[in-house]
Amino acid sequence: MRIVCSALPISPGWHLRHVRVEESTSNSEIYFNCDCWLSVDTEGEEVIKEFPIVNNQQEPLPVIEYIVSVHIGDHWGAETTANVYVTVYGDRGDSGARKLRHSLPPGERFARSKIDYFLLEAVSLGQIKKVVLGHDGEGYGAGMYLKMVTIKESQDSGTEWIFPFWNWLDNYLGLCQTVCKLYTIGRRLSTNPNPIAQSGGLWIIDITGSEYDRSEILANFDIVFYGDKGKEEVEAKIVGNIIQMKEELKNVGSLYKIRVSWSDIKLKKAWHLTSIHMKHSVTNQEMWLMADCWLKPNDENCIEIPAMYPNKDPLPVVEYAIHLHTRDMKNTGINGTVYICIEGENGDTGNRLLNISGSHRKDSKEQVDVFKIKAVHLGKLQRIVVTFCNPQKDQWFLEKIIVKDLEFSFTNYTFIHNDWIICDNEKGLTESIIMLKELTVEPYTIKHFNASTKGKWIMQVLGTQPEGENVDISFVVFGRTGKSSLLKLKNLDYSPFLVDVGNIGSIIKVSFLSMDLTYETKLQLQKVRMKDVDTKQEIGFYPGKPLLPNEDSAESVQELPAVLPNIPPLSEVSYFLQIRTGNFPASGTDADVFITVFGENGDTCKRKLRHLPLSGMFEKDKVNIFTIKAVDLGTLSKVQVEHSAVGYGAGWYLDQITIQETDKTDTEYLFPCHQWLDTGIGDTQTKCELKLLGKVSKNVGRLRTSPQGAVDVIVMVGEVENGFVSSAVSVTICCEHGNHELAVFAKGSLKQNSTSQTTVDLKKDLGPVRKLRLQMQDDAKGNNWFCKEVKLQHKQSNEILEFPFLQTFSNDGRNTVAELPALYPDRRALIVKTYAVYVTTAQSPQIITDAKVFITLRGSMGDTGRRTFSYKRTDFTNKRKTAEFQLECVDIGVIQELFIEKEQQTNLQLEKVVVEDGKYIKKKYVFMPQQWKKDKNKMMSMTLQVTETQEGNSTEALVYGKKPLTSDGEWIIYLTMSNEEIQQPITSPPEDACDLVFVLYGDKGKSSFIVGEKGTLSRVKTLMTYKVNLMNDLGELYKVRLGFEKLNENRDRLYFHHLKMQNTKTLDMFNYSINRNLPLSMNGDRWIEVPVEWPLKSTLTAVKYYVTVFAAGNLNQGAGVDLSLCLHGKQGDSGDRHLTWQNAEDENGEELFTSVLNAVEIGEIFHIDISMSSKNDCQLHIKKIQIQESSKQEVYIFELNQDFSVIANEPAIWRKVPLSEVAHEEQESNHIRLLNFDRKEIVKDELVEHLIKVYTGDVTSAGTDAHVHIHLFGEWDSFGPVELTQPLEDHNPFERGMVDTFRILSKNLGRILHIEVGHDGKGLGSGWFLDKIEITNVTTNETTLFRCSRWLSEEEDDGSTVIHLYS
């Protein structure tokens, strides 16, 4: 009796004592003794109890706690969240449908690669025969991949029943069903037995079958045992219902399957083979194999059964479909008997008879016959043996055999024969061995959905909210054809909520974003699932890490790929970004910069690029490196960049961005920009979209020099709505010294979503490929097609140049031609430019007709090709006689010539043509017309040379135009600083930082000393903020001096990294990277000058002035004399500068004192001011002073010939000294005494940034987990040792074959002469094979190479873990 109870209370439940059933007519009675509590753990659960009959005649059947194990396969999307039900059948009935609720192992039920164990209590079912298992999941992805079900009679049972399935339970996959019937293939031991300690042993084999009439003739059948060492065939004789055999099977090894085969058994009636029991006498391995087959008289057949070992999956039994292809030739049919034996990694099928009787006649032609055989899975197939029997010695032409495994591996195996099979021996039998030719894997067939999606999904998210925090989380869902809007996450407790993602195609990933999280507030996502409201499709997403602020961004972004049944999800990729800032004045910015990278699989969402702590800006002419982790974007297509700064000068000149996947170091994507992102320039936008220019590959040696020979031109066409290509398309390979002949794809040869190829022979040596032009050849209407990419592949070298056009072409007059440059790893890329062509006519619009004009521009770097421009009569009016056309092409250099054509019947009288080049500073080329000349092709043309060139003005690009900048009002000054030791950022406002004073210079004058309001330390521990107020307008600022009004002996040296100033009213802003100490020396200069740079305006530069004083007396530091200088020139003054003097002698023995003054260039020097003071009384005679700017030849000479009496502690003596003469360095003059300054002393206070690239070798176990350090030794100084811990690529460093880049700031060491590199030897397998190290000085862009190519290991080479390397 089975009792099913629902709606029970959770506690205390219901106590059932007994049940008595009475038959109404006979008064017979059935009694069930229950005596149990019926209760549930959670509300809504169901309780099922079974009770045996109790009577006096026999013992009641036992109640058994069966252990039902559900084995989920290792396939993508194999897991399910559906409710799963099971019914177990035995020879005493069934258990009834039971819901599998509580799995004994922890974790999610029915997860991929997991085995769940469930208790199923039932009255003994006897011998278990069948299991029915199903679930209530409806849509695609709601099902599961079920390997098998195993059942034990108790937790302590030594055996378990096996019910294999090896298929999907999904309405849209595999058998397209959610319920399956499983039949047992036998029993196995549940745990490995204890073997007997001796060698050898026998397999004791007990075969059980039906009753056998002993009066019959003895019949035989064969058993073949397969193992990892080989196979062995044994003959079995039917002597009764039990047959026992003992076999050593020593040549078999570990058994994995057996095959029972029989042929023409001489029996009166069929004999049923029930089971085979096998036990080894030594290893104690034991298995019960269910055969359940009939051996029929005069039949030829076989069955295969997998071996079953504890804790090891038995091989599946699959059905192979064999497709025999007979060639379309005369007399090619089969007239005989065909056997086939398929061989694979896991043995063979044995000879299987193909039932071809009557299926082939001798006149059969081009026939395909399909046969199916069942066998234990063979693994990867290797060859086929075909046996052909024909007593008449006929022949058969076999073209090929295709074997399809459509149940397990979904693989097609093709075996090509293409020859006759001839029976020419006496037996009329021949064997042919056919090897595997091709292997293809078929995707799973997905049943067509019954409904279409409307974009509405049920979302469930399980996560752990940070304690005490209310985190705002949003997410974006990405599909193949679009993405959703930004959606808000409603909860983290797995409660379902509705979201509308729109029509985005098949979902591929979801991105979670939050701005509220910090490193202290962590959010753990555990499970995400989506279900389509209409189609019932379900998608799982499986987080692998906490949602945190990534190292590359301030926002937390975690991307999860969609996991669909049997489809590998997109993998996570690290993208290595190199962002280059332009080298124009004011190109840099310290604004927050955001980037979004787009590809064929969506985008990264907007990421904020994080700077290093003491490097707060994108500096002029520098490269900033970042790493972004995202789900694989596929082929990249564009980049979107934006920043948050507002105000003229606050923006940024972005030169280009290159992106490289960290595991694909041979190719990088190039996205040029070459424009200002500034609210005061041009279109005032701070956001731009960068189109992919191309991919830079290292493997282009032949194509970059002289690509002569055969070259394949490959065009990849994508898909576009209503796409159609009816016109011919040409490809022009443009080289340094000319263009090769066109490669033409004929009309209709290009198809959507296909690849077309042609070959061209490049006969001439025209130099390296410079660019590629793709052009539609005619005006056929309806053309609308998308070109993904064009490739040039050199046939001999196989080198490839890629041109990712990613562009739609159409006959709309604008999108018929496009060009892309060839990109090489060590050359500056040519850019795609837009030229504006202005055509001015001399006649009235009534005379002009609608027509076309054809223009070709030629320049110093090639031509544009023939471009078609259509114009209408309405383009010209009485007031406007000029039409404008846009021409986009790869940069052609300096424009030299214009070739223009028109049709003879077209009435067009030119007055002039102007071509405009440039975006901000425009350059115009003027062409004056000549007479039209008739050509042979019924066209008229003229070739025009440039008659005038007009240079543009940068002010045209400024929003404020020629309006002068003003400087009065409040300014906020931001100073990024640290202690002199750059590794120690300041933690509180130092008193020295509060004593800073500023002097501002403008074209209307300079300010007095400005003492900023007390500096405040921001949350960024290195940023000090000051407010200053300019009462008067100084005009356009051009330099700032900052420093200390007085020097104290106990003053600490501060290191200034970066200065920013912004006017709070106009928002005008400038940035400058200082990277200098202050004071420059403890007894020296206390001022730093920085030039103010404004976009698109000329700027001054910071220079060094070499000062030489010809004097007699004590001017060195020990004498206590302070001599200060102030230089006055065309661009203002240097301020009073207290200098440090070095004593020397010239070649004539004359005493000299030298120093260096750092200042913004002041132009032509008019006079100098000198002042002297001393702690001691002294006499000093100054003969003259020479001053030279470091980068110029002019030497300014100031003659004094004066004696100075300096009285101790008295006010300083001051003199104004006019300029005496200006000489040149190369002149031979007795008045000039030049000194070779100690460059080390000049630059010793500067910081230099080094990029260190470490190349780990690509040999076995080359990587290390030890701590690696480096010590730099330069011509002036050394720096280190420094531990290398955080590579810019954001991956685990020092792995085999990888390149790791580190950024180090150090004092200026001069040229790096040698390095010390090594590790501490800690960690398992600490040995390291170092290939080489490259060190690049970012300031000078000089790279020094240090080769190693050896082990740093205690167990290799000389046992050293530290080595010195020399350049």
Side-chain angles (χ1 to χ4, degrees):
M1 180 187 66
R2 182 183 308 125
I3 293 180
V4 180
C5 298
S6 58
L8 282 170
I10 295 177
S11 177
W14 172 46
H15 185 266
L16 177 61
R17 184 179 303 164
H18 66 262
V19 175
R20 191 183 303 273
V21 180
E22 184 177 311
E23 207 276 325
S24 59
T25 57
S26 66
N27 293 325
S28 61
E29 188 177 80
I30 303 174
Y31 179 79
F32 300 91
N33 184 24
C34 304
D35 192 22
C36 67
W37 283 93
L38 302 178
S39 62
V40 295
D41 295 331
T42 57
E43 188 175 351
E45 284 194 8
E46 187 177 68
V47 174
I48 300 177
K49 282 283 188 179
E50 290 192 357
F51 305 97
I53 293 175
V54 178
N55 59 40
N56 297 325
Q57 284 74 34
Q58 61 184 25
E59 285 290 322
L61 294 173
V63 176
I64 295 176
E65 278 195 336
Y66 291 97
I67 305 296
V68 178
S69 303
V70 179
H71 300 242
I72 304 298
D74 187 18
H75 290 246
W76 292 112
E79 64 284 340
T80 186
T81 59
N83 295 310
V84 178
Y85 300 85
V86 68
T87 305
V88 182
Y89 293 82
D91 52 15
R92 294 197 187 107
D94 64 73
S95 66
R98 306 290 184 96
K99 182 179 178 180
L100 301 179
R101 286 189 176 90
H102 305 293
S103 176
L104 298 179
E108 290 289 325
R109 292 177 303 161
F110 313 117
R112 176 184 175 187
S113 298
K114 188 185 177 191
I115 303 174
D116 286 292
Y117 306 95
F118 302 91
L119 294 177
L120 190 154
E121 184 184 276
V123 172
S124 174
L125 296 168
Q127 183 168 318
I128 299 173
K129 297 180 177 180
K130 182 176 74 172
V131 168
V132 175
L133 185 140
H135 63 80
D136 59 5
E138 299 177 82
Y140 170 57
M144 63 180 176
Y145 187 91
L146 177 64
K147 281 198 303 188
M148 61 184 173
V149 174
T150 59
I151 299 178
K152 295 199 302 182
E153 290 191 352
S154 70
Q155 295 195 47
D156 300 325
S157 175
T159 64
E160 58 184 358
W161 296 89
I162 309 297
F163 299 84
F165 187 60
W166 298 100
N167 212 326
W168 287 96
L169 274 181
D170 191 295
N171 276 326
Y172 294 86
L173 285 171
L175 303 175
C176 295
Q177 61 189 37
T178 59
V179 179
C180 63
K181 293 181 181 179
L182 311 179
Y183 295 90
T184 184
I185 60 170
R187 280 188 299 151
R188 68 182 179 186
L189 298 176
S190 56
T191 58
N192 279 309
N194 295 319
I196 299 173
Q198 68 180 59
S199 59
L202 298 173
W203 281 99
I204 302 169
I205 305 167
D206 295 305
I207 302 172
T208 304
S210 59
E211 292 296 330
Y212 178 72
D213 187 353
R214 295 182 182 274
S215 64
E216 292 194 38
I217 302 173
L218 292 178
N220 302 329
F221 61 91
D222 297 320
I223 304 177
V224 183
F225 299 89
Y226 288 82
D228 57 3
K229 293 182 180 178
K231 65 181 180 179
E232 190 171 322
E233 186 172 346
V234 176
E235 186 180 79
K237 297 181 182 295
I238 303 175
V239 295
N241 62 340
I242 297 177
I243 306 169
Q244 189 175 79
M245 306 164 55
K246 295 182 180 181
E247 300 291 339
E248 189 175 1
L249 303 181
K250 60 181 180 180
N251 297 322
V252 172
S254 179
L255 191 69
Y256 60 77
K257 79 170 181 178
I258 68 169
R259 182 172 67 248
V260 178
S261 61
W262 60 94
S263 175
D264 296 328
I265 297 181
K266 306 302 180 182
L267 294 173
K268 294 179 182 179
K269 61 180 181 179
W271 183 72
H272 185 261
L273 174 60
T274 306
S275 64
I276 301 174
H277 172 242
M278 301 179 64
K279 184 173 182 180
H280 198 271
S281 61
V282 171
T283 66
N284 282 328
Q285 287 289 354
E286 190 172 9
M287 60 189 79
W288 295 260
L289 309 179
M290 296 297 295
D292 192 20
C293 64
W294 289 92
L295 280 62
K296 298 177 181 180
N298 304 315
D299 186 22
E300 183 171 348
N301 211 333
C302 69
I303 63 164
E304 292 193 356
I305 311 170
M308 291 180 285
Y309 292 99
N311 305 317
K312 184 178 180 181
D313 291 340
L315 292 172
V317 177
V318 300
E319 187 173 71
Y320 290 100
I322 302 168
H323 296 246
L324 258 65
H325 291 249
T326 302
R327 176 68 67 84
D328 182 13
M329 296 176 66
K330 187 176 181 181
N331 296 323
T332 60
I334 307 174
N335 185 18
T337 304
V338 176
Y339 291 89
I340 190 169
C341 178
I342 307 172
E343 299 179 8
E345 295 172 323
N346 298 331
D348 58 62
T349 62
N351 278 331
R352 302 293 184 97
L353 174 64
L354 301 185
N355 186 14
I356 60 173
S357 177
S359 65
H360 282 69
R361 303 183 305 278
K362 290 203 67 173
D363 58 350
S364 298
K365 296 182 179 181
E366 197 177 13
Q367 184 166 333
V368 179
D369 288 279
V370 180
F371 305 92
K372 293 183 178 179
I373 63 173
K374 281 192 173 182
V376 171
H377 194 256
L378 297 167
K380 181 182 176 182
L381 304 190
Q382 297 169 338
R383 70 176 190 171
I384 288 179
V385 179
V386 177
T387 304
F388 182 41
C389 305
N390 187 283
Q392 285 78 34
K393 300 182 181 180
D394 280 349
Q395 57 187 6
W396 165 40
F397 194 96
L398 177 63
E399 180 183 354
K400 62 183 176 182
I401 298 176
I402 298 176
V403 180
K404 297 185 178 184
D405 172 9
L406 299 181
E407 290 185 354
F408 187 70
S409 66
F410 285 80
T411 305
N412 293 341
Y413 300 90
T414 302
F415 301 84
I416 304 294
H417 189 252
N418 265 338
D419 202 353
W420 292 94
I421 297 179
I422 304 172
C423 293
D424 56 358
N425 57 25
E426 294 181 359
K427 295 181 180 181
L429 181 147
T430 186
E431 281 190 355
S432 298
I433 298 175
I434 311 172
M435 303 304 295
L436 177 67
K437 180 68 175 179
E438 183 181 18
L439 178 152
T440 58
V441 177
E442 289 192 0
Y444 266 80
T445 302
I446 302 173
K447 179 182 171 183
H448 182 68
F449 288 4
N450 297 325
S452 58
T453 181
K454 296 178 181 176
K456 291 182 171 55
W457 293 72
I458 299 296
M459 188 96 171
Q460 292 174 278
V461 180
L462 181 63
T464 305
Q465 186 84 264
E467 187 175 353
E469 298 286 338
N470 186 17
V471 178
D472 185 20
I473 302 173
S474 301
F475 63 94
V476 179
V477 182
F478 289 84
R480 289 290 179 191
T481 58
K483 68 177 182 178
S484 72
S485 58
L486 190 64
L487 304 169
K488 184 176 177 58
L489 185 62
K490 300 292 180 63
N491 63 72
L492 286 167
D493 59 8
Y494 213 59
S495 298
F497 58 94
L498 183 66
V499 295
D500 189 347
V501 304
N503 184 20
I504 62 174
S506 178
I507 291 176
I508 55 177
K509 73 172 180 178
V510 60
S511 294
F512 291 89
L513 309 93
S514 176
M515 298 181 65
D516 297 338
L517 293 172
T518 66
Y519 290 103
E520 290 76 28
T521 58
K522 301 178 181 180
L523 176 76
Q524 175 70 54
L525 290 178
Q526 297 165 358
K527 182 170 60 171
V528 180
R529 199 155 186 92
M530 295 179 67
K531 180 176 181 179
D532 193 302
V533 172
D534 300 293
T535 68
K536 309 304 180 185
Q537 178 186 357
E538 293 189 27
I539 303 175
F541 305 85
Y542 301 96
K545 58 186 178 182
L547 176 61
L548 294 172
N550 297 332
E551 291 191 4
D552 53 64
S553 78
E555 290 84 9
S556 296
V557 179
Q558 185 176 7
E559 299 193 348
L560 305 179
V563 179
L564 299 172
N566 229 47
I567 300 174
L570 299 173
S571 58
E572 184 179 71
V573 174
S574 293
Y575 293 97
F576 186 60
L577 280 65
Q578 298 185 73
I579 301 178
R580 179 179 291 278
T581 300
N583 62 353
F584 299 108
S587 291
T589 185
D590 71 341
D592 290 334
V593 173
F594 302 86
I595 191 167
T596 308
V597 183
F598 294 79
E600 58 187 344
N601 296 331
D603 62 68
T604 60
C605 293
K606 186 163 69 173
R607 308 286 184 99
K608 180 179 177 182
L609 299 179
R610 184 184 63 87
H611 296 278
L612 291 175
L614 297 178
S615 177
M617 69 174 295
F618 293 85
E619 297 184 23
K620 179 175 73 173
D621 201 27
K622 292 291 180 67
V623 175
N624 293 75
I625 298 174
F626 304 92
T627 300
I628 287 180
K629 289 185 177 180
V631 169
D632 187 4
L633 295 168
T635 300
L636 305 187
S637 57
K638 65 181 180 180
V639 169
Q640 191 170 281
V641 184
E642 58 186 293
H643 67 79
S644 58
V646 177
Y648 172 58
W652 182 30
Y653 187 89
L654 174 59
D655 184 47
Q656 67 178 35
I657 297 175
T658 59
I659 302 179
Q660 187 178 67
E661 295 180 33
T662 52
D663 59 344
K664 297 179 182 177
T665 56
D666 58 339
T667 303
E668 63 183 16
Y669 295 85
L670 176 61
F671 300 88
C673 182
H674 308 302
Q675 71 181 65
W676 287 96
L677 303 177
D678 193 296
T679 57
I681 300 175
D683 59 8
T684 73
Q685 297 299 306
T686 59
K687 180 178 179 179
C688 68
E689 192 171 278
L690 311 182
K691 181 183 174 183
L692 175 65
L693 184 68
K695 291 187 274 189
V696 185
S697 174
K698 296 179 180 178
N699 185 30
V700 289
R702 183 71 174 268
L703 293 169
R704 67 184 293 176
T705 53
S706 178
Q708 286 181 276
V711 172
D712 288 331
V713 182
I714 305 164
V715 178
M716 301 172 66
V717 181
E719 185 174 5
V720 67
E721 188 175 357
N722 299 322
F724 179 70
V725 193
S726 62
S727 68
V729 174
S730 68
V731 176
T732 307
I733 302 173
C734 305
C735 298
E736 195 169 295
H737 304 302
N739 302 339
H740 290 284
E741 294 183 6
L742 300 181
V744 178
F745 291 85
K747 291 183 179 182
S749 62
L750 299 181
K751 308 290 184 182
Q752 287 214 94
N753 271 336
S754 65
T755 299
S756 300
Q757 179 175 324
T758 187
T759 302
V760 294
D761 190 8
L762 308 185
K763 299 178 180 179
K764 298 180 181 179
D765 182 5
L766 299 178
V769 177
R770 178 172 278 168
K771 67 179 178 180
L772 196 76
R773 183 181 304 129
L774 185 63
Q775 189 164 11
M776 297 173 68
Q777 289 289 83
D778 51 54
D779 298 329
K781 293 185 178 179
N783 281 283
N784 183 36
W785 64 286
F786 183 80
C787 178
K788 292 172 64 176
E789 189 173 41
V790 177
K791 294 182 180 180
L792 300 182
Q793 183 169 11
H794 197 274
K795 274 190 172 295
Q796 183 178 350
S797 65
N798 285 326
E799 295 164 349
I800 296 177
L801 274 177
E802 297 178 86
F803 300 86
F805 281 93
L806 298 172
Q807 180 174 329
T808 299
F809 290 78
S810 60
N811 287 113
D812 58 1
R814 297 186 301 274
N815 299 307
T816 61
V817 59
E819 292 186 357
L820 284 179
L823 303 180
Y824 302 106
D826 56 353
R827 297 185 187 177
R828 181 74 171 173
L830 295 174
I831 62 172
V832 176
K833 302 176 74 172
T834 299
Y835 296 92
V837 181
Y838 300 91
V839 178
T840 304
T841 64
Q843 69 265 48
S844 64
Q846 287 76 20
I847 303 175
I848 300 174
T849 58
D850 294 351
K852 294 180 180 178
V853 63
F854 307 92
I855 291 176
T856 304
L857 288 177
R858 300 188 179 104
S860 59
M861 295 194 300
D863 61 69
T864 63
R866 189 173 187 254
R867 304 298 180 95
T868 304
F869 298 104
S870 300
Y871 62 87
K872 299 181 179 180
R873 182 183 301 179
T874 54
D875 290 337
F876 300 94
T877 65
N878 289 323
K879 294 182 178 179
R880 180 170 60 87
K881 297 182 179 181
T882 301
E884 179 184 354
F885 306 105
Q886 300 290 322
L887 190 156
E888 188 179 88
C889 67
V890 173
D891 187 3
I892 60 173
V894 178
I895 297 176
Q896 299 167 337
E897 186 177 272
L898 182 146
F899 180 68
I900 186 168
E901 302 171 274
K902 71 178 184 67
E903 297 170 336
Q904 289 187 11
Q905 67 272 21
T906 302
N907 185 11
L908 182 63
Q909 184 179 346
L910 293 180
E911 185 176 284
K912 68 176 178 179
V913 179
V914 177
V915 179
E916 192 174 76
D917 178 15
K919 188 166 186 178
Y920 300 107
I921 303 176
K922 301 183 184 298
K923 187 175 184 178
K924 295 181 180 180
Y925 298 88
V926 181
F927 300 88
M928 301 308 295
Q930 302 171 354
Q931 292 295 322
W932 291 103
K933 295 181 180 179
K934 291 184 179 180
D935 293 339
K936 294 180 181 180
N937 54 1
K938 297 182 180 180
M939 299 290 290
M940 302 188 73
S941 65
M942 62 175 73
T943 301
L944 307 180
Q945 306 298 320
V946 177
T947 56
E948 182 185 357
T949 302
Q950 300 173 358
E951 298 290 343
N953 194 314
S954 63
T955 57
E956 298 173 2
L958 300 178
V959 172
Y960 303 108
K962 297 182 179 180
K963 181 180 177 181
L965 293 176
T966 58
S967 55
D968 55 327
E970 184 183 65
W971 291 77
I972 298 180
I973 301 176
Y974 305 89
L975 267 175
T976 306
M977 64 181 74
S978 65
N979 290 327
E980 183 179 7
E981 293 296 327
I982 62 171
Q983 291 82 1
Q984 301 175 1
I986 58 176
T987 56
S988 60
E991 294 183 5
D992 298 339
C994 300
D995 293 340
L996 281 174
V997 294
F998 304 87
V999 181
L1000 308 183
Y1001 287 75
D1003 55 13
K1004 293 183 179 179
K1006 74 173 184 176
S1007 72
S1008 57
F1009 284 175
I1010 302 173
V1011 179
E1013 297 180 16
K1014 186 174 182 179
T1016 57
L1017 189 70
S1018 76
R1019 63 180 180 86
V1020 180
K1021 294 182 178 181
T1022 55
L1023 182 64
M1024 294 287 294
T1025 304
Y1026 305 84
K1027 289 184 179 180
V1028 299
N1029 195 21
L1030 291 181
M1031 303 304 296
N1032 300 316
D1033 180 17
L1034 302 179
E1036 183 179 309
L1037 298 181
Y1038 65 84
K1039 88 170 174 178
V1040 176
R1041 184 186 311 130
L1042 68 152
F1044 302 117
E1045 193 170 0
K1046 296 180 180 179
L1047 279 181
N1048 300 321
E1049 292 183 2
N1050 298 324
R1051 184 182 299 278
D1052 291 332
R1053 298 181 81 189
L1054 294 177
Y1055 193 89
F1056 292 90
H1057 297 268
H1058 175 235
L1059 167 71
K1060 178 174 76 172
M1061 287 184 63
Q1062 185 168 35
N1063 189 301
T1064 58
K1065 181 180 179 181
T1066 66
L1067 299 182
D1068 294 342
M1069 179 193 291
F1070 65 86
N1071 292 280
Y1072 192 82
S1073 293
I1074 303 173
N1075 292 329
R1076 293 188 68 83
N1077 283 315
L1078 191 68
L1080 299 181
S1081 63
M1082 295 316 300
N1083 296 314
D1085 199 351
R1086 61 181 183 271
W1087 295 98
I1088 292 176
E1089 288 194 355
V1090 298
V1092 175
E1093 296 183 341
W1094 298 107
L1096 296 178
K1097 294 196 173 190
S1098 59
T1099 183
L1100 302 175
T1101 58
V1103 299
K1104 300 179 186 299
Y1105 288 96
Y1106 302 144
V1107 181
T1108 306
V1109 177
F1110 295 79
N1114 295 319
L1115 192 56
N1116 53 37
Q1117 297 296 322
V1121 178
D1122 294 331
L1123 174 62
S1124 299
L1125 287 181
C1126 177
L1127 313 184
H1128 295 263
K1130 192 174 182 179
Q1131 274 91 39
D1133 61 70
S1134 65
D1136 188 28
R1137 312 295 284 275
H1138 182 265
L1139 303 179
T1140 300
W1141 301 95
Q1142 299 179 43
N1143 182 241
E1145 289 185 359
D1146 70 357
E1147 56 200 22
N1148 299 322
E1150 190 170 0
E1151 191 173 16
L1152 307 175
F1153 297 90
T1154 63
S1155 189
V1156 176
L1157 187 152
N1158 294 279
V1160 172
E1161 60 178 313
I1162 59 175
E1164 182 183 349
I1165 302 176
F1166 301 141
H1167 68 271
I1168 61 174
D1169 298 332
I1170 62 173
S1171 62
M1172 286 172 283
S1173 62
S1174 178
K1175 297 178 182 179
N1176 305 304
D1177 294 345
C1178 64
Q1179 297 291 322
L1180 184 66
H1181 177 81
I1182 298 179
K1183 181 179 180 182
K1184 64 180 176 180
I1185 298 176
Q1186 289 183 179
I1187 299 173
Q1188 182 185 17
E1189 187 181 325
S1190 58
S1191 60
K1192 295 184 178 179
Q1193 300 291 320
E1194 292 84 3
V1195 179
Y1196 295 88
I1197 301 174
F1198 299 86
E1199 300 281 357
L1200 274 82
N1201 283 320
Q1202 293 186 26
D1203 293 317
F1204 294 89
S1205 296
V1206 183
I1207 302 174
N1209 300 319
E1210 288 291 320
I1213 300 173
W1214 179 86
R1215 294 285 190 277
K1216 177 179 180 180
V1217 184
L1219 177 67
S1220 301
E1221 68 171 299
V1222 179
H1224 287 80
E1225 190 174 2
E1226 63 270 13
Q1227 293 178 348
E1228 293 184 7
S1229 170
N1230 292 328
H1231 299 291
I1232 303 176
R1233 295 286 188 268
L1234 297 177
L1235 203 65
N1236 291 323
F1237 285 86
D1238 187 343
R1239 301 291 174 178
K1240 172 185 172 183
E1241 292 299 323
I1242 294 172
V1243 299
K1244 67 180 180 180
D1245 290 317
E1246 295 180 351
L1247 271 188
V1248 173
E1249 182 180 316
H1250 295 94
L1251 287 180
I1252 299 178
K1253 281 191 174 183
V1254 181
Y1255 294 76
T1256 299
D1258 190 12
V1259 298
T1260 303
S1261 303
T1264 185
D1265 291 326
H1267 299 101
V1268 175
H1269 72 268
I1270 192 168
H1271 199 137
L1272 309 182
F1273 296 87
E1275 58 183 337
W1276 299 335
D1277 211 334
S1278 65
F1279 181 76
V1282 177
E1283 186 176 339
L1284 303 177
T1285 57
Q1286 302 256 338
L1288 299 177
E1289 293 85 357
D1290 194 23
H1291 59 223
N1292 192 31
F1294 314 119
E1295 296 292 338
R1296 172 181 172 179
M1298 298 297 288
V1299 181
D1300 302 289
T1301 307
F1302 302 89
R1303 190 195 304 266
I1304 289 180
L1305 282 172
S1306 74
K1307 51 192 171 185
N1308 199 331
L1309 309 176
R1311 187 168 63 86
I1312 306 297
L1313 302 176
H1314 71 279
I1315 62 173
E1316 176 194 280
V1317 64
H1319 61 83
D1320 59 4
K1322 293 182 179 180
L1324 184 64
S1326 61
W1328 182 34
F1329 190 92
L1330 173 61
D1331 183 22
K1332 62 183 178 180
I1333 292 179
E1334 291 178 356
I1335 301 179
T1336 300
N1337 184 316
V1338 176
T1339 304
T1340 64
N1341 205 30
E1342 179 183 354
T1343 299
T1344 307
L1345 174 64
F1346 299 89
R1347 296 193 180 277
C1348 182
S1349 298
R1350 59 157 284 168
W1351 284 96
L1352 299 181
S1353 172
E1354 294 177 352
E1355 286 128 12
E1356 302 283 349
D1357 293 342
D1358 58 2
S1360 297
T1361 59
V1362 178
I1363 191 172
H1364 283 261
L1365 303 176
Y1366 295 83
S1367 60

